[in-house]
Amino acid sequence: MKIESVRIESFGNLRDLELSGISENLTVIYGKNEAGKSTIIEFIRSTLFPTTKRKSYPSYADTDSGVVKLRTDSGETVTVRKTKRKTETDGRPLSDLIQTDYPTYRSIYAMSPEDLRDSEAVGKIQKKFLTIPGGELVPEILEDIDKEMKTLLSSERRSQTTEIGSLMEKSKTLDAQISSLSVSDDEYTELYQTRIRTENDLKELRRKEKENEESRRKAEVKESQKSNLRNLGELNEQLILLKESKIVKDGDEETFRKLDLNIENRKLKSEELKSETEKLLLKLEGADPDALLDNKETIQNLKNDIGMYQNMTGRMAIPEQENSRPRTNSSIVPPAILAVGLIMTVAGLFVNILISVAGLCVIGLGAYMFVSSRNKTPAKTANHQEYENLALRISERERELNRIAGETGIERTYYEKDVHRLYNLAAAAGEYEESMRKLDRENISLKESKLEMERFLIPFGTEERFQKLNADRKKRIDLEKRIKTLEDSIKSSGYDPDAQSADEISDFRNEIADLNRTLGEIETRMKNILNDRERESLMNRKAEVESEIVSKTKRWAVLSLSRKIVNDVCDDLFETVRPGVIETADAYLSMMTGGRYRMNSDPRDPELSVISEDGKKKESEWSTGLEDQVKLSLKMAVAKELSGESLPMILDDVLLTFDTDRKTGACKALTELSEKIQILYFTCDSETRDILISEECNDIVSI
Amino acid sequence: MGADFKFIHCADLHLGSRFAGMKGQDPNMAGRMTESVFESFRRIVDLAISEKADMMVIAGDVFDEQNETPNTRYRFCKELERCGIPCYIALGNHDFKRSWEDSIPYPANVHVFSVRPEKLIANVNGSEISIAGRSFASRHMSEDLASTLDGSPDMFSIGVVHCSLDDSKDNRNYAPCRSTILLNKDIDYWALGHIHKRSVENEYPHIVYPGNIQGRNSKETGEKGAYVVTVANGRVRDLKFVPTQSVLWIDANVNIDGCDINGFINSLRKQTKPGSFVNITVSGSGELDRALRLHTAETEEMILKNTGCTVSSWNLRCSPPLDMEKLAGEKGILSEVIRYCDNFALKERTEIIDAICSTKMSAEIRKVLENMTDDELASLVNDSKMLLLERMTEASE
């Protein structure tokens, strides 16, 4: 599409202005400043894009009106009439002809130097036209990837500021801590071995100490038995002194006592007998006991004959039968008694044997009385002859009595009395003699006893000595008993004469206590190592860190891989598939810069950049001139390469900042572009106008 | 008359091991997780006591390499002591020899098998049984340890060993062995360890992996615990698995086709138990894709609030509601990205890692990446693709 003519009826301060003679190619519209170039451009823009709210000069007026005549690429003429804000066409509607939106139009086709430099618009162009589909997203994606990767890990600064870096640092610190703690493993082994050694030492010491305890105990016993032993020694010495007493044997004392007692008893008896004998002697009334005893038989006979003597003497004197009464009585009584006795005996057999016995006694009594009465009987029958005999016999008896009296030394009284007296004395003499005999016998026994005692005492010498030895013997026995008791006590105390003294025995108890303490410390330390949770928790922490490293590394790897993919794809694509826009822009830029710069077509660069011999040059590094050149090249290329209905390019003095050489280059490029699309170049710069003229651009319109 | 007794078979305790993939929402999480392994073993000891088991066999990997501290070992010893019954342990590849380990000796009821084949005769309830076992001597054992063990034909025999059974992968480091050989060793019950997923490989004779006792990462899902084996008259009468895990890891799958966030959470609720850790695999295509990718933390919070589950990992195989084929066919950078990523996913892991670490990055980062599985790396590529897709289509919304 091309502009054939422009007629402004009223727009801004322009009235009835006609632009005609516009070339299909390049037309330079030359006019001084303030001549209305920009107003004309704005008129064309606002006519082609009527709905757009314009901000630029001139401001809207109700009188705005005019006509732009267009001819489509197919040769159809379209008249576009502007009235106020509205635009009318006489043929196809504008929207059929113009597919481009206003901003694009303005940034690519109808631009002032400001529009040319509008980076936002350039960015859009870059995204839209300088890459293949999707390529426009690449810079942002790469930027995001890089940003995230850098937070994770940085190749430049392997520092703790990146996440993985700090995790790795942490992991290393943990490793160091863990390994410093694992020193305790070896320590544990050492402790374990030390414990075994210590236990063995302790065992050995305890064994020794046990022995020592025994020695110590023995020593104590030895000490405690000291006084006992001293006592024992003393007792033994005493015992030696009593050695002699050994000749006193068991039973000696008893024997001595018996013998002594015997002697005493005999002495006593002897004394008794002696006094008895003396008493008996007194009874003898001075009569010679020997004579009495010598005549004892005679005296007896005399005594026995005393009855007969009385009888004889009675008969010899006037025998007055003074005893007729007893005679009669006595002659009758005995038979009666016998009879009673007989009766009693016989009756007793039937009644009671005691009665019989009594009966027998009565019989005896009767018998005696009978015999007695019979004996008297002869005397009663004495005759004279017999008297003679009697006298003789009496005198015999008298003589006898006298002799005896003489011999015994008693004085004579009368016969009967003397006979009785003698008789009694004879009996006493018998007793006396008997007593004397007994006394003699007793004295003999006493003598024997004394002898026996003497014999007993021979080994001991004197009785006193025996008594002393015997006493010693008792002492000795007592001593021996005490010694035995002492010895037993010493023996039972476990006394060992060979025991060492307490000073000589070494003491391990302190050492044992020390070792026990050491062992306790070792065991505590071992326990601490075994129960060491710090290392375990560090290991847990390390596992967490490792896990985090893995997961972060995975993320980093995904990002790294994504970047790699994008880069590889971009390399591949932009090596082989170079968009036409780039090619064209490149060519224009080359023209404008005399071949010094080329477009950088890599879409990964978020900023527009050019490549010179010195390398890539980013927009921020460009001069204003270079910026204008790059952007113009780009826009021209886009305009050229855009498909569909072409639009005329309306440039408002965009080469103003260019130096002469560049202007020349740019003009060449414009001329070349104008072969394909119509260009209306508005300028106040005569140099540009002249260069364009020299570029065989003849369509000059002056206003 | 054969033996009548009961024993506990467990393996791969990995006491003291730390959990992988815990996110830092809960500052005490790591401690709780570490404790959960002990908790599970405590429950196994409780089980042994309540079941009145006659013995326990532990087929290796009691500890977890450098995570074995004196504290860990001490606690294990205390538990064994509490257990009281004879415990037989064959060491595995994670049971490192520690310079200090003799300082914390096992209680008297524990027997640790030698690194040479060892066979013990034990009297259980009046019958003799044999227990053969062998420990790992070093971290890697290419020798077939199991085949060096023999049982006793005249008594019930148990074989205890840490090994890799019928491993199709070319993995010769963990005492590889063949089940065909194990079947003819006069052993009635092979108590194995090493594989963290429990499985009964054979019956009569039994070849059993009890699995580990507590899931510790998103790969160790499902119930974990120990087997209670009842032997009657010299023959396995009952094999009962008893879960003892303190924390359950669950795999959940959600398709987001035509699904909003409520539908998503409902689906999760059906597949999980409160308090568990869940690995969520998301498939399908829909609007949720964007929320899941760009607002992961918020989504996780919502899941925790509504299901009581902690998300341990995401496997986002879903896509935004875009016609990918059409997009790929179009001209432009998006189609290029899609094509590029699809191509890239086929690359070797080193190439992927190189691509990620193209800039001079610290060796630690590279190490982290190298520790990842192929799947993890592939999902990184997919995540990148989806990130770019989301970003490049957001303008069009």
Side-chain angles (χ1 to χ4, degrees):
Chain A
M1 188 175 74
K2 296 191 169 74
I3 294 170
E4 282 201 328
S5 66
V6 176
R7 194 169 65 85
I8 297 169
E9 288 157 7
S10 174
F11 192 71
N13 47 15
L14 295 178
R15 300 286 181 277
D16 295 319
L17 181 93
E18 179 95 29
L19 273 188
S20 52
I22 298 172
S23 163
E24 282 192 359
N25 303 111
L26 177 61
T27 305
V28 179
I29 297 112
Y30 178 74
K32 293 224 161 31
N33 280 335
E34 306 296 320
K37 299 190 296 292
S38 298
T39 311
I40 297 169
I41 293 171
E42 188 51 34
F43 176 78
I44 298 169
R45 282 201 292 236
S46 70
T47 306
L48 296 180
F49 293 89
T51 55
T52 310
K53 281 181 183 169
R54 289 185 290 110
K55 282 181 203 148
S56 50
Y57 178 86
S59 51
Y60 167 76
D62 282 346
T63 52
D64 290 351
S65 59
V67 175
V68 177
K69 269 191 185 167
L70 303 170
R71 200 174 65 245
T72 64
D73 292 346
S74 55
E76 193 185 341
T77 305
V78 179
T79 305
V80 184
R81 177 162 190 89
K82 179 179 173 70
T83 316
K84 295 184 185 173
R85 289 175 200 257
K86 285 181 182 167
T87 300
E88 289 168 50
T89 59
D90 56 352
R92 288 164 60 192
L94 267 179
S95 55
D96 271 10
L97 300 171
I98 306 166
Q99 277 99 36
T100 314
D101 59 8
Y102 177 72
T104 311
Y105 173 74
R106 182 155 181 172
S107 73
I108 295 170
Y109 294 98
M111 73 191 90
S112 62
E114 292 75 40
D115 295 326
L116 176 64
R117 289 171 202 141
D118 180 0
S119 290
E120 198 185 322
V122 172
K124 278 186 186 163
I125 290 168
Q126 188 193 9
K127 280 182 187 163
K128 199 162 180 181
F129 302 107
L130 302 193
T131 184
I132 59 165
E136 70 280 4
L137 298 167
V138 166
E140 199 190 327
I141 292 173
L142 283 178
E143 196 187 332
D144 288 350
I145 286 174
D146 271 348
K147 217 161 105 190
E148 196 181 341
M149 279 179 82
K150 269 177 189 146
T151 65
L152 289 170
L153 191 68
S154 163
S155 56
E156 295 101 48
R157 39 195 182 116
R158 213 198 68 71
S159 67
Q160 297 184 5
T161 54
T162 65
E163 289 179 26
I164 295 175
S166 81
L167 283 171
M168 284 185 160
E169 208 56 43
K170 215 180 265 175
S171 169
K172 274 187 189 137
T173 313
L174 283 167
D175 264 342
Q177 285 175 308
I178 290 165
S179 75
S180 81
L181 284 177
S182 62
V183 170
S184 66
D185 295 354
D186 295 330
E187 191 194 341
Y188 187 85
T189 310
E190 271 171 39
L191 286 169
Y192 179 75
Q193 280 156 2
T194 313
R195 186 178 72 178
I196 291 173
R197 270 200 309 277
T198 312
E199 278 171 346
N200 286 338
D201 290 351
L202 199 57
K203 222 176 182 176
E204 179 60 19
L205 274 181
R206 281 196 176 126
R207 194 188 56 72
K208 281 188 189 164
E209 180 54 24
K210 208 168 183 184
E211 286 174 4
N212 283 354
E213 258 171 42
E214 183 60 19
S215 304
R216 211 170 287 124
R217 198 188 60 76
K218 280 183 178 171
E220 273 167 25
V221 167
K222 198 174 178 182
E223 185 64 30
S224 73
Q225 296 300 321
K226 250 183 188 165
S227 68
N228 277 350
L229 284 167
R230 202 168 43 244
N231 286 346
L232 190 65
E234 282 168 12
L235 292 179
N236 275 322
E237 275 170 25
Q238 287 174 28
L239 192 64
I240 289 167
L241 296 177
L242 299 173
K243 205 167 66 182
E244 269 183 81
S245 69
K246 274 185 182 166
I247 53 168
V248 180
K249 296 288 182 295
D250 285 351
D252 281 359
E253 189 187 5
E254 177 67 15
T255 310
F256 173 80
R257 201 177 54 75
K258 270 184 188 164
L259 287 174
D260 193 45
L261 191 65
N262 228 2
I263 288 168
E264 284 306 306
N265 285 341
R266 293 243 150 94
K267 270 185 183 162
L268 274 176
K269 204 150 188 193
S270 177
E271 290 300 318
E272 254 172 52
L273 283 171
K274 205 174 165 186
S275 81
E276 200 176 315
T277 309
E278 276 164 9
K279 271 182 211 159
L280 287 172
L281 190 60
L282 284 176
K283 270 187 186 170
L284 288 177
E285 297 161 10
D288 181 0
D290 293 334
L292 282 171
L293 285 175
D294 289 347
N295 295 302
K296 193 182 175 185
E297 211 169 326
T298 314
I299 294 168
Q300 183 69 44
N301 288 337
L302 287 178
K303 177 149 184 303
N304 290 344
D305 286 348
I306 206 153
M308 202 168 54
Y309 177 80
Q310 285 169 334
N311 197 15
M312 282 187 304
T313 54
R315 272 186 291 170
M316 280 192 36
I318 313 141
E320 292 160 28
Q321 295 298 338
E322 6 169 72
N323 52 351
S324 55
R325 203 184 358 158
R327 214 186 289 159
T328 23
N329 288 343
S330 61
S331 58
I332 302 161
V333 173
I337 291 169
L338 279 170
V340 170
L342 193 64
I343 292 162
M344 279 174 76
T345 307
V346 173
L349 289 173
F350 296 99
V351 181
N352 193 324
I353 195 73
L354 289 173
I355 297 172
S356 297
V357 172
L360 285 171
C361 293
V362 172
I363 290 171
L365 181 66
Y368 171 73
M369 288 176 76
F370 183 74
V371 169
S372 301
S373 66
R374 281 282 169 181
N375 287 343
K376 283 166 186 172
T377 309
K380 289 172 202 167
T381 58
N383 51 34
H384 191 56
Q385 192 106 38
E386 274 175 331
Y387 184 78
E388 296 257 322
N389 284 343
L390 282 173
L392 183 68
R393 276 163 56 191
I394 288 167
S395 66
E396 271 174 18
R397 279 172 176 66
E398 285 286 350
R399 264 192 324 271
E400 273 293 298
L401 188 56
N402 286 337
R403 189 190 46 87
I404 291 166
E407 280 176 14
T408 55
I410 63 158
E411 279 180 38
R412 284 269 354 230
T413 57
Y414 58 94
Y415 185 83
E416 270 178 54
K417 193 182 171 186
D418 289 344
V419 168
H420 278 292
R421 194 181 165 204
L422 276 173
Y423 179 77
N424 285 338
L425 285 172
E431 279 177 29
Y432 171 76
E433 197 195 32
E434 181 61 32
S435 185
M436 279 296 285
R437 235 184 353 261
K438 272 186 186 168
L439 183 61
D440 288 347
R441 271 204 310 271
E442 202 53 49
N443 281 337
I444 289 161
S445 290
L446 180 61
K447 228 173 231 168
E448 278 171 3
S449 286
K450 281 182 175 169
L451 271 173
E452 220 178 315
M453 178 63 100
E454 276 164 25
R455 274 198 305 273
F456 170 75
L457 288 173
I458 286 167
F460 313 107
T462 60
E463 186 188 330
E464 288 71 30
R465 185 152 160 69
F466 168 76
Q467 292 291 17
K468 187 182 179 298
L469 284 173
N470 194 38
D472 284 356
R473 177 177 179 267
K474 279 179 183 163
K475 276 187 202 162
R476 184 173 56 85
I477 286 167
D478 183 47
L479 257 181
E480 280 172 349
K481 247 187 217 162
R482 281 166 62 194
I483 287 169
K484 176 87 173 50
T485 313
L486 253 182
E487 279 176 346
D488 284 352
S489 150
I490 290 166
K491 202 174 166 189
S492 70
S493 73
Y495 172 75
D496 180 355
D498 300 330
Q500 292 171 287
S501 75
D503 310 339
E504 293 170 326
I505 301 161
S506 41
D507 191 340
F508 299 110
R509 280 172 293 192
N510 284 338
E511 270 180 74
I512 286 171
D514 284 349
L515 276 187
N516 267 328
R517 204 163 33 246
T518 311
L519 202 59
E521 283 161 11
I522 289 170
E523 273 164 2
T524 307
R525 181 75 195 108
M526 284 172 86
K527 223 178 194 174
N528 287 344
I529 292 175
L530 285 183
N531 292 323
D532 176 21
R533 305 298 293 170
E534 190 191 348
R535 186 164 152 208
E536 298 293 326
S537 69
L538 285 175
M539 285 166 81
N540 289 339
R541 182 78 198 100
K542 169 130 198 299
E544 274 171 347
V545 169
E546 292 291 318
S547 287
E548 254 183 285
I549 288 175
V550 169
S551 87
K552 299 261 185 217
T553 302
K554 272 186 179 173
R555 177 65 187 167
W556 179 86
V558 167
L559 293 169
S560 172
L561 207 53
S562 300
R563 189 174 64 178
K564 155 94 176 155
I565 292 164
V566 170
N567 280 329
D568 283 1
V569 166
C570 285
D571 283 347
D572 199 31
L573 276 178
F574 292 99
E575 285 294 318
T576 54
V577 191
R578 211 171 148 80
V581 175
I582 294 292
E583 295 282 354
T584 310
D586 214 21
Y588 291 147
L589 184 63
S590 190
M591 277 185 211
M592 288 181 209
T593 60
R596 270 194 284 162
Y597 293 102
R598 291 193 63 200
M599 292 297 297
N600 174 23
S601 60
D602 195 331
R604 285 166 285 184
D605 291 324
E607 277 183 64
L608 207 53
S609 60
V610 291
I611 296 163
S612 72
E613 284 174 357
D614 306 328
K616 200 155 83 176
K617 214 169 185 181
K618 284 194 281 185
E619 190 175 354
S620 55
E621 297 161 342
W622 299 342
S623 64
T624 319
L626 182 58
E627 184 185 349
D628 288 353
Q629 287 148 23
V630 171
K631 289 179 178 172
L632 184 61
S633 307
L634 206 56
K635 291 182 178 190
M636 286 164 68
V638 170
K640 188 182 177 186
E641 297 298 323
L642 267 181
S643 54
E645 188 73 39
S646 66
L647 286 172
M649 201 169 198
I650 304 163
L651 304 172
D652 185 3
D653 235 347
V654 289
L655 304 183
L656 207 58
T657 54
F658 292 28
D659 62 27
T660 309
D661 286 350
R662 304 239 171 139
K663 270 181 189 160
T664 311
C667 288
K668 249 183 208 158
L670 284 174
T671 310
E672 199 225 77
L673 177 61
S674 66
E675 297 290 314
K676 196 181 175 202
I677 52 174
Q678 184 189 37
I679 297 175
L680 278 72
Y681 189 86
F682 289 78
T683 183
C684 61
D685 178 27
S686 56
E687 191 189 9
T688 309
R689 184 195 60 186
D690 295 345
I691 293 168
L692 282 169
I693 289 166
S694 69
E695 286 293 327
E696 293 171 23
C697 167
N698 295 317
D699 300 305
I700 304 294
V701 178
S702 289
I703 50 171
Chain B
M1 272 299 282
D4 291 299
F5 69 110
K6 209 184 248 186
F7 68 96
I8 304 286
H9 171 203
C10 60
D12 299 283
L13 318 184
H14 290 274
L15 293 174
S17 67
R18 264 63 192 180
F19 283 54
M22 289 292 93
K23 300 187 184 83
Q25 317 99 316
D26 181 350
N28 299 318
M29 182 71 84
R32 285 219 311 277
M33 295 291 99
T34 308
E35 207 50 39
S36 73
V37 187
F38 282 105
E39 179 56 31
S40 185
F41 187 63
R42 251 196 303 280
R43 289 177 185 175
I44 289 172
V45 171
D46 289 344
L47 178 69
I49 292 166
S50 67
E51 287 279 348
K52 297 187 174 66
D54 298 288
M55 61 166 77
M56 185 190 284
V57 293
I58 303 175
D61 284 359
V62 168
F63 299 110
D64 195 68
E65 306 188 12
Q66 63 270 28
N67 283 321
E68 185 192 350
T69 60
N71 179 273
T72 318
R73 193 181 176 85
Y74 175 67
R75 293 177 73 184
F76 179 57
C77 288
K78 282 279 147 205
E79 279 303 313
L80 290 176
E81 201 174 352
R82 186 169 74 86
C83 187
I85 54 174
C87 299
Y88 300 91
I89 302 174
L91 300 179
N93 52 303
H94 284 282
D95 297 319
F96 285 15
K97 172 80 186 166
R98 296 292 184 172
S99 61
W100 44 264
E101 67 181 29
D102 292 339
S103 311
I104 306 169
Y106 285 119
N109 57 321
V110 176
H111 177 84
V112 178
F113 286 108
S114 143
V115 295
R116 283 178 294 281
E118 202 180 344
K119 187 158 91 175
L120 308 169
I121 304 295
N123 193 307
V124 185
N125 300 333
S127 302
E128 285 194 328
I129 63 159
S130 91
I131 308 151
R134 188 171 175 186
S135 283
F136 262 57
S138 59
R139 190 174 186 171
H140 297 302
M141 294 287 281
S142 54
E143 189 187 349
D144 178 354
L145 299 183
S147 70
T148 63
L149 302 177
D150 283 294
S152 302
D154 53 341
M155 58 181 83
F156 188 85
S157 302
I158 303 172
V160 190
V161 70
H162 195 76
C163 64
S164 166
L165 184 75
D166 298 332
D167 190 355
S168 54
K169 288 182 199 161
D170 187 23
N171 197 351
R172 282 197 286 267
N173 281 330
Y174 304 110
C177 62
R178 298 265 146 229
S179 50
T180 47
I181 292 170
L182 299 195
L183 297 178
N184 299 304
K185 299 295 260 174
D186 288 327
I187 281 179
D188 300 282
Y189 187 98
W190 282 100
L192 305 185
H194 185 58
I195 304 300
H196 287 192
K197 191 173 166 57
R198 75 170 181 276
S199 66
V200 178
E201 300 281 337
N202 195 63
E203 289 191 331
Y204 304 105
H206 283 69
I207 302 177
V208 179
Y209 277 114
N212 58 345
I213 63 169
Q214 171 64 59
R216 300 159 307 142
N217 56 49
S218 54
K219 284 161 220 141
E220 296 175 350
T221 53
E223 293 193 310
K224 300 282 182 181
Y227 276 107
V228 180
V229 187
T230 309
V231 177
N233 197 13
R235 198 175 144 82
V236 173
R237 195 187 64 195
D238 186 35
L239 183 66
K240 179 174 73 170
F241 173 77
V242 180
T244 57
Q245 82 281 334
S246 172
V247 177
L248 190 62
W249 297 70
I250 295 173
D251 280 324
N253 292 290
V254 185
N255 188 306
I256 57 164
D257 283 341
C259 180
D260 62 1
I261 186 70
N262 291 328
F264 183 84
I265 284 174
N266 276 339
S267 170
L268 275 182
R269 198 183 285 124
K270 278 178 205 156
Q271 298 178 62
T272 59
K273 287 181 188 170
S276 48
F277 284 82
V278 60
N279 306 315
I280 307 175
T281 301
V282 188
S283 55
S285 138
E287 294 298 337
L288 260 184
D289 181 84
R290 166 174 293 270
L292 298 180
R293 284 181 200 282
L294 302 181
H295 307 287
T296 316
E298 291 93 319
T299 311
E300 285 176 358
E301 215 165 277
M302 205 184 258
I303 290 169
L304 180 63
K305 204 171 142 194
N306 287 287
T307 68
C309 293
T310 305
V311 178
S312 86
S313 75
W314 287 100
N315 186 5
L316 296 173
R317 295 191 179 162
C318 50
S319 56
L322 299 170
D323 186 340
M324 300 297 272
E325 270 182 40
K326 188 175 161 250
L327 280 176
E330 278 176 3
K331 271 203 169 173
I333 201 155
L334 188 53
S335 61
E336 282 304 312
V337 166
I338 294 169
R339 265 197 303 278
Y340 185 95
C341 290
D342 292 348
N343 255 328
F344 198 78
L346 304 173
K347 295 197 176 197
E348 291 293 320
R349 54 181 291 129
T350 47
E351 274 186 85
I352 295 172
I353 292 170
D354 285 345
I356 294 168
C357 296
S358 53
T359 45
K360 43 176 175 118
M361 274 303 143
S362 66
E364 285 112 315
I365 291 288
R366 209 187 159 86
K367 215 169 134 191
V368 173
L369 293 168
E370 274 164 358
N371 281 337
M372 289 183 186
T373 62
D374 291 354
D375 281 351
E376 279 176 305
L377 285 173
S379 77
L380 288 183
V381 176
N382 190 51
D383 285 351
S384 302
K385 173 181 164 183
M386 291 303 165
L387 173 83
L388 293 173
L389 214 61
E390 291 290 357
R391 289 301 304 266
M392 288 179 175
T393 55
E394 66 192 348
S396 63
E397 281 174 13

